[in-house]
Amino acid sequence: MKITVVGSGYVGLVTGACFSELGNDLICIDIDESKIRKLNDGIIPIYEPGLEELVKKNRKEGRLTFTTDLKKSIKDSEIVFICVGTPPKDNGEADLSHVESVARTIAEVMDSYKLIVEKSTVPVETGNKVAKSIRAYNTEKVDFDVVSNPEFLREGSAVNDFMHPDRIVVGCESEKARKIMENLYAPLNAPIIFTDIKSAEIIKHASNSFLATKISFINAIANICELAGADVENVAEGMGFDKRIGRSFLNAGIGYGGFCFPKDAEAFIRISEKLGYDFRLLKAAQEINQSQRKHFVRKIEKALWVVKGKTIGILGLAFKPNTDDMRYAPSIDIIKELQKEGAEIKVYDPVAHERSKEFLKDIKYCANPYEVAENSDALVIITEWSEFKELDLRKIKSLMRNPLIIDGRNIYSPKKLKKEGFMYISIGRMDVI
Ligand code: UDX
């Protein structure tokens, strides 16, 4: 099938590359000329495992092209995916101006049937508004359908998530659209949930909000464990064996970051408010998430007694492993707070140094974790990259000024660190001091 993907960010690029891998002809669009130039030179602007290989292969085989020419691409395609950004406005609502502008362009140029697929995360009722706008601006009254097909891709495993989804959600209101979507996704052999457009839009909000709430729930439990002298890892394991609960997304830590959960939860709170519902549960989840970062800084302060003049080594900057994404990363708030108190900051992240420069100033970038540890008064783990789980702890200890590890992701066992002679402070577990 001939497909145009409008917006070559995380979602658009992965969607375009994966659909081309499935044998379709893909045109990926972006208004950013330099991004398109880079993509045409084979340079992928984001770090996403497996994506570069997929893009290279499908470009070479002629199934994947990149251009800024939106109008021509729409004319040439039967399916148009809208994957443009919906950044938050000051009040937390999603800014839909890019979605609206794409809808108007489609209306202006379309001269044959088009299936317009909304993939960006948008408020409920956007699908209907897109359809209304196309109907209004298309003077030739060409036949078209709009469907909602939310993405559930996790950064760092987006290609794999696309190719092996738990489910595919399609909100559509015509038999023709349903058939096209069914054919398009047939190679993935995954369950497809067909529903109305509004329900599909709410499935996306509800899924992300539920996962965010699950994380805040376990972080609240972690705080209770700290007060009671229990161990949150044991609690999560005991809860997780219950099939109704499940162990995933019960990892206590410094809370969720990234461009999806914080922004989508905020947007869903606004959407609910507009509809007349005060979503107190989700508001609490967001509050707990923010306070978890502050709680972590308090732990560092307590362990160091005086922060001013101390050298703090940070392991991990990205909001989670296997990505260089720094948006809403907990590391930003935590490092800024420590700098405010007069700490010297040294950092190492396997891939996020470049992108972190937009958010953080006056930090010393190191080439590896051992350089970070050298002469540090504390080593703080912020992102659970797997290489941090295999450090030579004896070497780390010999390099540090003070053998103190404060672990925001519970990557070590307190018993082991005690044996190695560290002071070890983690989340929801007994301190080793
Ligand atoms: C998320 C959703 O998982 C995905 O379906 C949606 O389409 C986009 O948003 P992503 O933001 O890439 O994906 O990452 P995810 O792996 O879900 O983690 C989000 C945040 O939650 C990270 O900051 C992570 O560290 C944190 N997290 C996750 C926890 O703190 N504890 C957990 O148990 C799980």
Side-chain angles (χ1 to χ4, degrees):
M1 280 183 243
K2 285 196 156 192
I3 304 172
T4 286
V5 173
V6 191
S8 299
Y10 268 107
V11 176
L13 262 184
V14 174
T15 304
C18 290
F19 274 130
S20 67
E21 176 70 10
L22 296 179
N24 300 286
D25 286 326
L26 263 292
I27 311 171
C28 289
I29 306 281
D30 209 282
I31 44 167
D32 182 344
E33 281 180 23
S34 81
K35 188 192 261 183
I36 293 296
R37 216 175 305 122
K38 279 187 191 150
L39 285 165
N40 276 323
D41 288 340
I43 302 165
I44 312 295
I46 49 170
Y47 175 83
E48 187 61 48
L51 184 60
E52 192 171 335
E53 292 84 339
L54 223 57
V55 170
K56 273 194 183 138
K57 175 176 172 233
N58 286 287
R59 277 185 66 234
K60 203 165 149 210
E61 291 171 8
R63 284 191 299 270
L64 179 60
T65 51
F66 298 99
T67 171
T68 51
D69 193 344
L70 176 58
K71 292 186 176 173
K72 181 171 181 317
S73 314
I74 292 170
K75 271 185 183 277
D76 290 348
S77 304
E78 186 184 13
I79 308 176
V80 181
F81 275 87
I82 304 183
C83 300
V84 293
T86 52
K89 295 196 270 192
D90 288 344
N91 64 359
E93 264 178 39
D95 176 356
L96 297 175
S97 54
H98 301 302
V99 174
E100 195 256 0
S101 142
V102 174
R104 269 190 290 125
T105 310
I106 294 172
E108 278 163 29
V109 299
M110 105 181 155
D111 51 11
S112 60
Y113 174 82
K114 304 285 169 211
L115 178 66
I116 295 116
V117 188
E118 160 201 283
K119 223 178 204 339
S120 306
T121 300
V122 290
V124 60
E125 291 182 297
T126 303
N128 290 342
K129 286 181 185 159
V130 166
K132 212 169 148 192
S133 171
I134 296 177
R135 219 168 285 124
Y137 284 91
N138 180 250
T139 43
E140 309 206 1
K141 304 294 165 223
V142 178
D143 186 25
F144 72 95
D145 281 302
V146 171
V147 310
S148 163
N149 172 217
E151 54 84 18
F152 300 99
L153 308 174
R154 286 166 302 176
E155 289 182 22
S157 58
V159 172
N160 191 58
D161 288 348
F162 187 99
M163 293 299 192
H164 308 282
D166 290 345
R167 77 330 199 165
I168 293 156
V169 173
V170 176
C172 79
E173 279 148 28
S174 98
E175 200 45 40
K176 185 173 181 177
R178 182 187 168 119
K179 281 263 147 57
I180 298 174
M181 293 302 283
E182 221 162 34
N183 284 340
L184 187 62
Y185 279 112
L188 295 184
N189 257 327
I192 307 185
I193 288 93
F194 285 104
T195 175
D196 58 283
I197 294 175
K198 287 184 199 170
S199 300
E201 290 166 335
I202 292 208
I203 288 171
K204 169 71 188 190
H205 298 310
S207 301
N208 272 3
S209 302
F210 186 80
L211 292 170
T213 307
K214 201 172 174 189
I215 298 168
S216 281
F217 185 87
I218 199 67
N219 282 333
I221 297 295
N223 289 331
I224 296 168
C225 285
E226 283 173 13
L227 295 167
D231 185 321
V232 73
E233 298 296 323
N234 296 340
V235 173
E237 197 189 346
M239 288 169 68
F241 268 98
D242 186 327
K243 287 195 190 73
R244 295 167 303 175
I245 299 173
R247 177 61 182 83
S248 64
F249 279 75
L250 283 183
N251 294 322
I254 45 180
Y256 50 83
F259 203 51
C260 287
F261 286 170
K263 157 181 99 76
D264 291 358
E266 212 48 51
F268 200 22
I269 290 168
R270 295 283 94 75
I271 291 163
S272 310
E273 225 163 58
K274 269 193 165 173
L275 291 167
Y277 182 73
D278 181 8
F279 204 157
R280 296 196 304 276
L281 178 62
L282 193 52
K283 284 181 181 166
Q286 286 276 79
E287 272 165 33
I288 290 172
N289 194 53
Q290 266 317 108
S291 61
Q292 195 65 5
R293 297 175 187 192
K294 293 194 187 112
H295 179 61
F296 188 61
V297 173
R298 299 290 93 84
K299 275 175 183 281
I300 301 172
E301 288 167 357
K302 194 172 156 207
L304 282 173
W305 185 28
V306 172
V307 171
K308 196 170 175 194
K310 298 275 165 62
T311 300
I312 301 179
I314 304 278
L315 294 185
L317 291 169
F319 84 97
K320 65 175 206 174
N322 297 320
T323 177
D324 61 350
D325 200 340
M326 285 294 298
R327 292 173 297 179
Y328 297 93
S331 63
I332 302 170
D333 288 346
I334 293 166
I335 291 174
K336 281 188 175 167
E337 192 58 37
L338 294 172
Q339 284 178 320
K340 222 194 282 167
E341 294 184 37
E344 293 291 323
I345 304 290
K346 295 168 81 176
V347 303
Y348 169 71
D349 185 287
V351 297
H353 287 188
E354 218 29 63
R355 290 187 80 180
S356 72
K357 288 177 185 160
E358 196 187 312
F359 302 91
L360 293 164
K361 301 272 170 292
D362 303 322
I363 56 180
K364 182 174 184 294
Y365 291 97
C366 297
N368 56 57
Y370 302 99
E371 205 183 310
V372 173
E374 209 173 344
N375 291 325
S376 283
D377 297 287
L379 201 58
V380 173
I381 298 163
I382 294 209
T383 318
E384 67 278 31
W385 284 92
S386 41
E387 65 173 272
F388 300 157
K389 296 176 186 167
E390 280 139 31
L391 295 178
D392 178 345
L393 289 172
R394 216 159 277 175
K395 187 171 168 190
I396 292 279
K397 187 166 172 251
S398 71
L399 290 166
M400 291 183 73
R401 222 183 256 159
N402 175 37
L404 167 65
I405 294 184
I406 304 156
D407 181 358
R409 298 292 182 179
N410 288 357
I411 66 172
Y412 294 121
S413 105
K415 236 189 219 158
K416 182 177 172 201
L417 276 263
K418 188 175 182 181
K419 218 168 124 206
E420 296 280 353
F422 281 94
M423 286 177 279
Y424 179 64
I425 290 160
S426 54
I427 306 286
R429 304 188 292 184
M430 288 296 277
D431 294 344
V432 174
I433 36 175

